[in-house]
Amino acid sequence: MAGSEQVAWRRFAVATPWISTVVRLGLAVVWAWAGLAKISDPAVAAQAVRAYRILPEALVKPVGYGLPFLEVALAVLLVIGLGVRIVAVISAILLLTFIAAIASTWARGIAIDCGCFGGGGAVAASQTQYLQEILRDIGFLLLALWLVVKPRSKASVDAWLAV
Amino acid sequence: MSEKNREGKRTARERMREERAAQQVKDARKKKMIVLGAVLAVLALGAGIGVVVQNNRSTSSTPKAAPAGAIGKKNLVIPDGPANAPSTLTVYEDPRCPACGAFEREFAPTVDQLQDQGKLFGNYHIVSFIDRHDSGKGSKNGANALACAQDSGYFRAYHDVLYRNQPDETVDSWKDKSKLIDLAKQVPGLDSPTFESCVNTNKFGGWVSAVEEDFDKSGYTSTPTVLLNGKPIYPKNGNDEITPDNLVKWVNEANQGKQLGATGSASASPAPTSTAAETDPNQPPASPAP
């Protein structure tokens, strides 16, 4: 019936900012966790990057050292809710890059731990978890894409600024 | 009021409304640009600061202190046996790696013998990456203790004791440095205040990190990686499985017609052979060993 459909639609419209709030904070936890796990040991973070055998040695350290801080910065922006749509777009690009990197490593037959949440580097061929790593990142990607479409959320700087 | 006048008023009001709307769109866009700028600034600044901070925190890949007698570029390799032997055995080993323990228990007597006969020069890369996977300190502490033993002139003997008493990979016994010092008591002459303080203060910690970074860059991804004259021979040399007998055979074949090196036990003194060139092609293997 058209009436109940309308009600459902209105309910969804009311719920959306709340869903976006949960998604925003969820993605913030992911980035904070990923970043903080990698900050403690710069050498391990650099090796995790090197193990992919994609970047030239000159870029291994800048990426290994800078990426965890970038992830933490994304987490901070998501927590305060500043520029959620652009942060979500950047998150999605970053996650797509990670997925592509893991897939390429898998395709080339290199056995590594993705180093997504600390650690990383070579592992025994039987210890790789490429499928799980990619599925997990796709899950995170869906969170980011939700925020690209529905960036308005409660308790955010964006709402306060009314952008 | 004439028709005309009324029309003029309406268009004026409309124009004002349009202008206000346009202004609002402009303001909104300006606000959005400011937010975008702020976001990008935070991210760029964050990553930039990260690179600088981590650069300052990370240890230099050229260690300040290396154990006496270490050879190769940046003194990262521990030599064992005569430097003038015709063949070189390069071994990458992690003290916590069970496959390394198995390799050492099976091959150490043969390798020692070949070295003492002047046939083989051992080059040891003491890797420490298991700590990264299983979390812990045993690899790094063990590697540092091996460097301390080399510094005191007892590398081979301590190395053999260590691998004979290796804990399970997942048991991080050697996070407790006193266990490493206890094992040194099995090597006559090694345990001394100098050795104990070397182990306890992690004297060669920077060297251990540098050796690990060198391994990371080598393209070899597993331990033990064993090369005879630069060619991988573990677990197989071509189609042949490595066994003590095969190792002797391969070394003899490689040495055919060549002058043997100095003979005698190399474990008695550290080999002060910093001029010896290390036979390490530093090239990734065609296919990484499992």
Side-chain angles (χ1 to χ4, degrees):
Chain A
M1 264 175 20
S4 67
E5 238 169 62
Q6 230 168 24
V7 170
W9 185 247
R10 208 173 304 140
R11 272 197 195 137
F12 179 70
V14 172
T16 306
W18 290 106
I19 297 173
S20 291
T21 311
V22 172
V23 171
R24 201 186 89 211
L25 295 177
L27 194 60
V29 169
V30 171
W31 282 135
W33 175 26
L36 293 175
K38 281 180 274 207
I39 279 176
S40 67
D41 195 335
V44 168
Q47 173 51 16
V49 174
R50 188 179 289 123
Y52 282 85
R53 294 195 225 160
I54 292 174
L55 295 176
E57 186 58 33
L59 287 179
V60 161
K61 280 183 181 170
V63 172
Y65 294 171
L67 187 60
F69 284 79
L70 179 66
E71 291 173 333
V72 170
L74 287 170
V76 169
L77 290 170
L78 284 167
V79 166
I80 65 173
L82 175 66
V84 170
R85 179 171 270 159
I86 180 70
V87 171
V89 168
I90 294 169
S91 298
I93 293 171
L94 207 52
L95 285 162
L96 282 171
T97 310
F98 293 165
I99 292 168
I102 295 168
S104 120
T105 309
W106 194 1
R108 285 176 293 152
I110 301 173
I112 63 166
D113 170 333
C114 76
C116 305
F117 296 91
V123 296
S126 60
Q127 300 277 302
T128 55
Q129 302 190 311
Y130 294 126
L131 187 61
Q132 293 96 307
E133 287 164 358
I134 288 174
L135 290 176
R136 187 183 57 196
D137 280 2
I138 288 174
F140 299 153
L141 181 61
L142 292 177
L143 295 182
L145 291 179
W146 172 276
L147 290 177
V148 173
V149 181
K150 301 276 180 196
R152 285 181 205 296
S153 59
K154 301 285 175 186
S156 63
V157 175
D158 284 351
W160 181 67
L161 288 174
V163 279
Chain B
M1 226 182 265
S2 74
E3 267 308 291
K4 210 176 176 185
N5 198 3
R6 198 180 298 163
E7 190 137 294
K9 258 188 186 165
R10 202 171 64 88
T11 48
R13 215 180 296 135
E14 225 162 59
R15 210 182 307 126
M16 258 166 70
R17 204 182 302 139
E18 271 166 23
E19 263 168 26
R20 206 179 305 137
Q23 188 60 42
Q24 271 172 356
V25 168
K26 224 191 210 171
D27 284 352
R29 192 178 301 149
K30 200 172 158 196
K31 224 192 263 182
K32 270 187 186 153
M33 291 313 288
I34 290 172
V35 168
L36 175 66
V39 165
L40 294 181
V42 167
L43 295 180
L45 209 66
I49 290 171
V51 172
V52 173
V53 167
Q54 299 293 66
N55 226 338
N56 288 337
R57 282 181 60 211
S58 70
T59 48
S60 158
S61 57
T62 304
K64 285 197 197 81
I71 60 164
K73 220 171 105 200
K74 299 180 187 174
N75 295 331
L76 301 178
V77 181
I78 292 183
D80 190 20
N84 56 353
S87 282
T88 302
L89 189 75
T90 305
V91 182
Y92 292 82
E93 282 180 333
D94 186 310
R96 273 180 88 182
C97 136
C100 302
F103 169 77
E104 280 301 329
R105 285 186 292 275
E106 189 178 356
F107 290 91
T110 312
V111 171
D112 290 354
Q113 193 186 18
L114 288 167
Q115 288 176 351
D116 295 344
Q117 290 167 344
K119 292 177 177 172
L120 196 61
F121 179 40
N123 279 197
Y124 289 85
H125 296 248
I126 313 299
V127 177
S128 51
F129 72 115
I130 306 263
D131 284 354
R132 213 187 274 157
H133 292 298
D134 297 351
S135 77
K137 293 188 167 157
S139 288
K140 291 193 200 80
N141 286 348
N144 178 63
L146 281 164
C148 295
Q150 164 68 18
D151 208 45
S152 306
Y154 294 94
F155 173 74
R156 182 198 283 182
Y158 186 63
H159 173 259
D160 290 354
V161 166
L162 215 56
Y163 281 108
R164 274 204 303 274
N165 293 278
Q166 194 186 38
D168 277 348
E169 182 179 356
T170 50
V171 181
D172 192 19
S173 306
W174 293 340
K175 70 169 182 263
D176 180 1
K177 291 169 180 165
S178 67
K179 295 240 166 67
L180 291 161
I181 291 170
D182 276 345
L183 289 173
K185 295 190 172 107
Q186 296 182 30
V187 179
L190 173 57
D191 191 17
S192 67
T194 319
F195 177 79
E196 286 183 20
S197 108
C198 178
V199 172
N200 284 327
T201 60
N202 200 29
K203 182 175 175 186
F204 296 114
W207 180 83
V208 170
S209 312
V211 173
E212 174 55 33
E213 190 177 320
D214 181 62
F215 172 69
D216 287 340
K217 289 178 185 168
S218 73
Y220 297 116
T221 54
S222 62
T223 51
T225 287
V226 184
L227 316 171
L228 179 60
N229 297 323
K231 187 170 161 249
I233 56 164
Y234 181 92
K236 279 181 165 186
N237 177 9
N239 292 323
D240 299 328
E241 194 94 27
I242 188 171
T243 62
D245 287 346
N246 272 347
L247 180 60
V248 171
K249 195 181 87 183
W250 297 336
V251 169
N252 284 336
E253 278 169 8
N255 288 355
Q256 222 151 39
K258 290 181 186 163
Q259 182 95 43
L260 293 189
T263 55
S265 172
S267 60
S269 62
T273 49
S274 48
T275 51
E278 183 206 356
T279 315
D280 178 13
N282 225 18
Q283 263 169 16
S287 63

